[in-house]
Structures are given as C-alpha cells and as structure tokens.
Amino acid sequence: MKVFVIGANGHVGRLVVQQLAASDHEVVAGIRHPDQALFFEDLGVPTAMFDLLSRPEQLGVTLDCFDAVIFAAGSGGKTGADMTLLVDLDGAVKSMQAAEIAGIKRYVLVSALFADNRNQWSEDIQPYYAAKFYADDWLRHRTTLAYTILEPGALTFDKGIGAINTAGIARGNIAREDVARAAVASLTTPETIGKTVPMITGTIPINVALSRF
C-alpha cells in the first residue's frame, strides 16, 4: 500500500513511519512545519505538508493517489483545549473528509482507551476525551471509510514487546512502539475493518490479537 501518515512527527507517528519504511509499504510522512522534514530525510522517507487547520479540499489534494491513511496526530499536552478541539476533533474529521475526497478507503485512527465511554474519562483531560469521542463517532457513522479505530491505554516510552490484550480491559499501559505496530498491522488485517480495538500491553502477539476481531 501507499500510506500517508498524519501527525508523522509525533511520538507515535515517527514510529509508524519507521515501521512502514522497513516494510513492503510505501510511506509519505505528513508534517506541519518544514523543519520537521530532516528526521524523515535521514530515513529516506518523503514528506508532504499537511496542516490540519487547512480546509478538507486542500488536504484532499495532498492525499490524492494514496491507498490508506494512518491518523496519529494530536495537539499535545502543551496546548489548550482550543487546539485539542481544532486538531484532535476537527482536524481528524477534516482528514476523514479529505480521504473521501481523494477516493481513499482504508483509514486507521489512533484514539484513546475508553474514548467511547464517558464514565471512564479522566477528569484531568476531559477535552481530549471529548475530542476523541466525537471524532471517533464521526468516523463510524458519517463516513464510508473502511476504518479501524485503535484505543490504546496510557502511552509509555518503553520498548514494545509485540504483544497486547484487547479483551476484559480495565486499565493499563502500552508502549508507543506497540501502538505503531498495531496501526501498521491493521492496514492488512481485514478483520479490523469497521472495528474499535482497545489495547494494552499483554500476552497475545499483535497480529494474532487483531485477527480475532
């Protein structure tokens, strides 16, 4: 597949790009600032400007000729609720609209564990969960995309172990490296299409866990 990674310069996004670059897929890294290109140039990965504050029609031009999108963008913990709204919610929705404009079908969204259950939201980051809730809901019910929504637990910088749990989850952590692995693996795991996949570090190999959906 020819894959466009939105939010490629983020912690998860960089790992997704690295893993795609080491696979049989063709990858382009979507970045917001030109100075972010150096990291990807060192990997031999092309970049394209992709500002989630732009209009869907503009973003759709950039996505033309791709087979799939992985959305790994986020406003980050240093911004306020306004940017969370504009990036994690509206930016995500605009990327979905852009994918449809470009004729892309496969779309993988990195969300958050329990984003679809308000009773489980952390009070400290409610705007973040609200943004994820409505972006996920738009993807499920307002698009025709062949989507997969990944819901990782608390993200860590630990080395990934390549194994997850996806059932009976209360709380838990997961390495960003394993979230990236799951995003890449989802692209070619048809069982995940139209599914929401909660995940924390576990004991089941990622490919096996995803194939059980």
Side-chain angles (χ1 to χ4, degrees), residues 82-95:
D82 56 341
M83 288 305 294
T84 299
L85 175 67
L86 292 175
V87 174
D88 297 77
L89 199 173
D90 194 45
V93 169
K94 286 192 289 188
S95 76

Side-chain angles (χ1 to χ4, degrees), residues 3 5 10 20 22 26 32 62 81 86 91 105 136 149 158 166 168 174 190 204:
V3 185
V5 179
L20 286 168
E26 181 181 350
R32 187 177 179 188
T62 305
L86 292 175
K105 295 304 296 181
D136 295 0
I149 298 173
D158 297 336
T166 62
I174 185 169
I204 304 171

